[in-house]
Amino acid sequence: MKTTSPVTSIIAAIGATLITLGNNWKLAGFILVLIAGAIFPLVATGVFTFQITQLLIYAIAIAGLNLLTGFNGQFSLGHSAFYAIGAYVSAVLMTQFEMPFYLTIPVAAAVCFVFGFLFGLPALRLEGIYLALATFALAIATPQILKFKPIEHLTGGVQGLALFSLKPEAPFELPFDQDQWTFYVTFAVTILMFFIAFSLVNSRSGRAMKAIRDNQIAAKVTGINLSLFKTLTFGMSALFTGVAGSLSALLIAFVAPDSFQITLAIAIFVGMVVGGVGWIPGAFLGGLFILFVPNIAEHIAHGLGWFFDLIRSVVPFFPTVSEQSAKGLTGTVYGVFLILLIYVMPSGLAGLLRLAAERLARARS
Amino acid sequence: MEQVVQQVIGGLATGAIYACIALAIVMIYQAIDHLNFAQGEMAMFSTYIAWQLMEWGMPYWGAFFLTIAISFVLGYAIERIVFKPVHNASVLSHVVIFIALFAIINSMAGFIWEFTIKPFPTPFGTKSVLGDGLLSAHGAGMIAVTGIMLALLYLFFRFTRVGLAMRAAAANPDSARLVGIRVGFMNAVGWGMAAAIGAVAGIMIAPVVFLEPNMMVTILLYGFAGAVVGGLTSPGGAVFGGFAVGVVENLASFVPHFGAEMKLSIALALIILVLTLKPNGLFGRRIVNRV
């Protein structure tokens, strides 16, 4: 008779799990991500945790825009509006109606879905650049609408709403501070949203969305309800971005009209193009870009001082440039980055990765 | 009733600003089939050039025409250097390039001329010519300049070979190329002309809103609204649209809570309304694509 001690059976079980995971790299990767996410805030500094939380939030917003543009072929330069609505719904419910934050996320999502769906109705009649224009106008008008007098008692007007005292603590007396807990909440929501995004684009509806993107008339002929799917996609896209906005209200603990300028809409748009249009994981790369590249551009602009000194040593009448005013060139450096990026990788980082993967595969065979 | 008349005339004066920029937007749309989101910044930069020339002691009209020439060259250069290499890229890439241009021009202007607000001279004077402060001499001058510019453009597109070639190159690049029109060159000329018109608009607007790097951001939106109302294919329509937006915006001040603080939302509402009800604008041609 064969006897097995508990120890060997546990080792056998672990071994068997590892083998299954080895054969199923997707699941293995997912578990790795989970472990990394669980450990990360415990070892990282507070600032870094904050930045990565912001990165995840941007990624959700970018994924939302990507659903609309990458999978349905509709433009938007106005997603800052939905981000703002998400943030404001959470903030208003928390401050005025004392709702706990977790409950405000689904409400924000639903409200944004409705707004997105409604905006999708006029968008039905607009194509390409016209839609870009209408959404551009939406983004520019957003801060003004948020300051609208008759709703000032809810939104706090120009001052906005402060949520510092309402940030949720970790439950069950878990030993995390607020920033760490915010990260865990964001991390969980991110996983959920990306799961929804992947399921959506691989579903029947997702195929309908892509069919509309590729050829509207053909899609219509196969019996897809164009108006319904286009407006629903607009709603879903707004929902994602609204959830991101809601989480940002939690992270920043403050909402004000001027945090939702056109620059935010442009950042989400640039993040989508950089990460790769029509490739959902690209949202994280795009988030990285919009989170860190402006800072890098500022450092480079700051470091341009030596360059002006060099010119002055050759051209005597060249005016002196202080380090402070050299910082004013941040926008220039950022713009040059963007242009080079479009030259070098017209299909974003996604295209570059795909190209690299193809080269690698060819080299192996 | 008198109040309404006053608001309408006041609206026409501000509308002239929007008409100028709407005209520039339509011009570049005709030339390259794109809305240029950096259009306002290009106009702002040209205005700074005019300011600088005058600072160096040049008379107003000398600076005016020299700035137009410089802006034409700069617009031409932007097309050749930045836009030509990605001419066949997707619309998304083009929008990113526009955003990049926006950031570059805005920060360059701030870097060279600083972010402080500068007053800008007017050649027409500021006396009021109509009623009591209803329409200033500058406002009237602005309306006149817009009118002259529109007339010149009409003549250019209607009666010159280059004008005809430009229309052909924009409307149907392939066929235009087959009949021997240099389409790429025409695109660049279109950019140059749009920059030059933008320069005129900027110089006319600057005495009203003052000169600073962000002066054009909101005006650009009204310009878009004007262009959309009139129809993106019609220069005359754009001018009409610009005036209409100015008047509507002023009349909206009668509605409670929709005063100065909601002005941008009015532009937004106009854009969405017109695009939804009449996608080609009031005067635009309907463009039908064969499938």
Side-chain angles (χ1 to χ4, degrees), chain B residues 45-66:
Chain B
F45 200 84
S46 300
T47 317
Y48 267 108
I49 293 175
W51 180 85
Q52 187 67 66
L53 291 173
M54 280 184 255
E55 262 321 84
W56 285 337
M58 200 175 253
Y60 185 92
W61 291 109
F64 182 84
F65 288 110
L66 186 56

Side-chain angles (χ1 to χ4, degrees), chain A residues 69 75 77 119 122 125-126 129-130 132-134 136-138 140-141 144-145 148-150 217 266 269-270 272-273 277 308 321 325-326 328-329 331-332 334-336 338-339 342-343 346, chain B residues 29 34-35 37 81-83 85-86 91-93 95-97 99-101 103-104 107-108 111 217 220-221 224 228 232 257-258 260-265 268 271-272 275-277 279 291:
Chain A
T69 308
F75 263 90
L77 277 174
F119 199 84
R125 300 203 46 169
L126 309 178
I129 206 79
Y130 288 93
L133 178 58
F136 174 77
L138 176 69
I140 289 199
Q144 270 199 350
I145 297 172
F148 194 41
K149 276 265 154 52
I217 294 168
I266 289 179
F269 180 82
V270 166
M272 178 195 61
V273 177
V277 180
F308 292 111
V321 177
S325 58
L329 283 174
T332 310
Y334 184 66
V336 171
L338 279 184
I339 292 180
I342 294 293
Y343 284 0
Chain B
Y29 185 76
H34 271 325
L35 291 174
F37 287 96
I81 297 165
V82 182
F83 230 79
V86 287
V91 185
L92 282 169
S93 306
V95 175
V96 172
I97 297 267
I99 292 169
L101 279 176
I104 292 174
S107 98
M108 286 292 268
F111 173 68
V217 179
L220 180 68
L221 183 64
F224 277 143
V228 165
L232 281 166
H257 297 303
F258 275 91
E261 64 262 39
M262 290 301 282
K263 277 190 165 181
L264 286 171
S265 319
L268 164 71
I271 289 180
I272 293 179
L275 283 181
T276 319
L277 298 179
V291 181

Side-chain angles (χ1 to χ4, degrees), chain A residues 317-336:
Chain A
F317 56 84
F318 194 83
T320 330
V321 177
S322 69
E323 279 195 348
Q324 202 51 46
S325 58
K327 252 189 179 171
L329 283 174
T330 304
T332 310
V333 176
Y334 184 66
V336 171

Side-chain angles (χ1 to χ4, degrees), chain A residues 1 4 12 21 70 79 102 118 134 181 197-198 213 222 256 330 335 354:
Chain A
M1 196 174 121
T4 50
L21 285 183
H79 261 48
Y102 313 107
L118 291 179
W181 182 242
F198 280 118
R213 172 196 65 190
T222 55
T330 304
R354 212 172 297 136

